[in-house]
Amino acid sequence: MKKLHIWFLFRRDFYRILGLPRTASVHQIKKAYRRLAKELHPDKNTDDPDATNKFHDLSAAYEALSDHEKREMYDRCGEECLKKDSSFGSSDPFQSFFGDFGFFGGGGHEQRSKEVVRGADIVMDLYVTLEELYSGNFVEITRNKPVAKAASGTRKCNCRQEMVTRQLGPGRFQMTQQTVCDECPNIKFVSEERMLEFEIEPGMQDGQEARFVSEGEPHIDGEPGDLRIRIKTLPHSRFERKGDDLFTNITISLQDALTGFEMSIEHLDGHTVSISREKVTWPGARIRKKSEGMPSYDNNNNFGTLTITFDVEFPKNDLTHEDKEGIKKILKQSSVNKVYNGFRGSG
């Protein structure tokens, strides 16, 4: 009875391991795992003797909670139910998020020995919406990767050019260059389907790249290249992005332009931005809303500026003589007929 009590005391709470409430969305679960995997990986915590166990707990928590059926099972009767599932514990979420050999990104590429030959990098353009770049998202990428497998026989490998000296006679030598190879076990490449999880992080820029280390083309005598995911932003119907700033245009009526207005527009994540103006609004007038632009990639708590440019729609119906006279009395303007070179300024 005492042993049973100890087991209940120390059984793993997967939600607590990820630092999330039981109502967490799949997006939140993936984001928490990716952040914690980089923090808790044993390679980054060599002084912690318990680092491997912590990392295994994190992997188990992600596997259980990221899968809909496994999560329902865990919520219903805990980890003991999951252990009855033969597939539980067989996946490698770390590889899905960071590739075969780590989370070092561009740094991992630079740290490799320059003498080791590498396969070619694969560059893949990922087209994303402005909404995804504002709020963030996870995208599953499925690809067929050539993986080296053992094969029968041997092969020539590590071939190199070496200088050989040959004596032609007394005091006469000849130096020639020849190819020298080692004998290595034979291999063959077999295509395997890989599922990678790519995080579209808030604030990422168009053209920005992220790496999956060693997920590129293989090399028979060296290491695989990297898979480089390059962000491409899809055109948006309402917003244009420049750096961390957003730009949009709003068309208002001539009546609102003269008398003022109140309105709101829907932002990329669904929240509303209120706009009001009491002054006269002329065509081309601008309003700048601070902290309503895109989040900064380096610090998601900082946002750029939203600039709104107004267009004025003039009525198309004809005015009566009385209407024209009434407008003149209200506006009290004299005629302006200034001619100037618009390319050089306002004159």
Side-chain angles (χ1 to χ4, degrees):
M1 194 71 181
K2 188 176 181 181
K3 290 182 179 179
L4 182 64
H5 172 74
I6 292 173
W7 180 86
F8 275 109
L9 185 64
F10 292 101
R11 65 179 175 175
R12 295 180 294 186
D13 183 340
F14 289 156
Y15 289 100
R16 186 173 182 179
I17 289 170
L18 288 167
L20 296 171
R22 298 183 75 85
T23 55
S25 65
V26 174
H27 179 86
Q28 290 173 312
I29 290 168
K30 290 181 177 182
K31 194 172 185 68
Y33 171 79
R34 190 173 188 274
R35 175 178 57 81
L36 290 171
K38 289 190 283 187
E39 292 179 8
L40 300 178
H41 195 277
D43 289 351
K44 281 195 170 182
N45 298 274
T46 54
D47 295 334
D48 184 358
D50 202 32
T52 300
N53 290 332
K54 290 178 182 177
F55 193 73
H56 287 163
D57 289 346
L58 179 66
S59 298
Y62 175 78
E63 182 183 353
L65 301 184
S66 63
D67 182 274
H68 178 69
E69 293 181 0
K70 290 179 181 177
R71 184 177 182 179
E72 281 189 345
M73 194 181 300
Y74 175 78
D75 288 343
R76 186 172 65 253
C77 51
E79 189 178 353
E80 281 301 291
C81 289
L82 288 175
K83 289 179 179 178
K84 298 174 184 178
D85 185 345
S86 59
S87 66
F88 182 65
S90 60
S91 65
D92 180 12
F94 185 79
Q95 183 274 332
S96 297
F97 280 91
F98 302 105
D100 274 340
F101 293 99
F103 44 76
F104 301 101
H109 170 64
E110 292 162 5
Q111 291 165 5
R112 295 172 181 165
S113 170
K114 294 180 180 179
E115 296 179 0
V116 177
V117 291
R118 300 178 60 246
D121 287 351
I122 297 175
V123 181
M124 189 187 85
D125 289 339
L126 180 64
Y127 289 87
V128 300
T129 65
L130 208 52
E131 285 83 357
E132 289 176 308
L133 292 172
Y134 186 88
S135 301
N137 195 16
F138 280 89
V139 177
E140 292 185 357
I141 301 171
T142 303
R143 66 177 295 263
N144 292 316
K145 178 183 177 180
V147 178
K149 301 289 184 180
S152 59
T154 60
R155 63 185 176 87
K156 293 185 181 300
C157 63
N158 302 324
C159 294
R160 58 204 176 273
Q161 298 294 318
E162 291 187 357
M163 298 302 296
V164 178
T165 303
R166 187 162 59 112
Q167 186 170 4
L168 302 178
R172 295 177 60 205
F173 297 90
Q174 182 184 46
M175 295 186 68
T176 59
Q177 192 177 56
Q178 66 181 29
T179 302
V180 178
C181 299
D182 298 331
E183 287 287 328
C184 293
N186 200 11
I187 61 171
K188 62 180 178 179
F189 289 105
V190 178
S191 181
E192 291 185 356
E193 187 175 276
R194 293 289 183 93
M195 196 278 288
L196 303 174
E197 291 269 6
F198 178 73
E199 182 181 10
I200 303 169
E201 299 179 73
M204 291 185 86
Q205 299 280 346
D206 191 70
Q208 185 172 339
E209 290 187 359
R211 287 180 188 268
F212 284 93
V213 177
S214 297
E215 289 293 335
E217 292 291 346
H219 195 292
I220 196 167
D221 287 325
E223 296 179 355
D226 297 336
L227 172 62
R228 291 156 46 196
I229 307 296
R230 184 165 54 197
I231 294 295
K232 291 290 185 181
T233 309
L234 291 167
H236 199 275
S237 60
R238 292 180 293 123
F239 296 101
E240 187 70 23
R241 179 186 186 182
K242 292 183 180 179
D244 290 338
D245 296 329
L246 287 175
F247 298 82
T248 190
N249 284 61
I250 297 177
T251 300
I252 58 175
S253 66
L254 178 60
Q255 177 177 300
D256 285 348
L258 295 173
T259 62
F261 60 89
E262 290 185 2
M263 64 177 298
S264 61
I265 60 174
E266 184 177 335
H267 212 297
L268 293 166
D269 64 342
H271 82 269
T272 57
V273 179
S274 298
I275 304 165
S276 62
R277 189 169 170 89
E278 296 180 357
K279 299 178 181 179
V280 172
T281 303
W282 59 92
R286 293 179 177 180
I287 290 179
R288 290 178 174 84
K289 291 280 189 178
K290 290 184 177 180
S291 299
E292 289 291 356
M294 294 293 292
S296 168
Y297 177 73
D298 296 324
N299 184 352
N300 289 168
N301 293 320
N302 296 333
F303 290 79
T305 300
L306 170 63
T307 299
I308 303 164
T309 303
F310 291 97
D311 307 312
V312 179
E313 185 176 273
F314 283 73
K316 295 180 175 60
N317 55 304
D318 293 331
L319 299 175
T320 64
H321 176 73
E322 290 77 11
D323 290 336
K324 294 177 181 178
E325 292 300 317
I327 291 173
K328 289 179 180 179
K329 288 181 181 180
I330 293 172
L331 298 180
K332 298 176 182 179
Q333 280 185 309
S334 56
S335 296
V336 178
N337 299 296
K338 183 189 291 184
V339 181
Y340 66 95
N341 182 345
F343 291 97
R344 298 284 182 176
S346 59

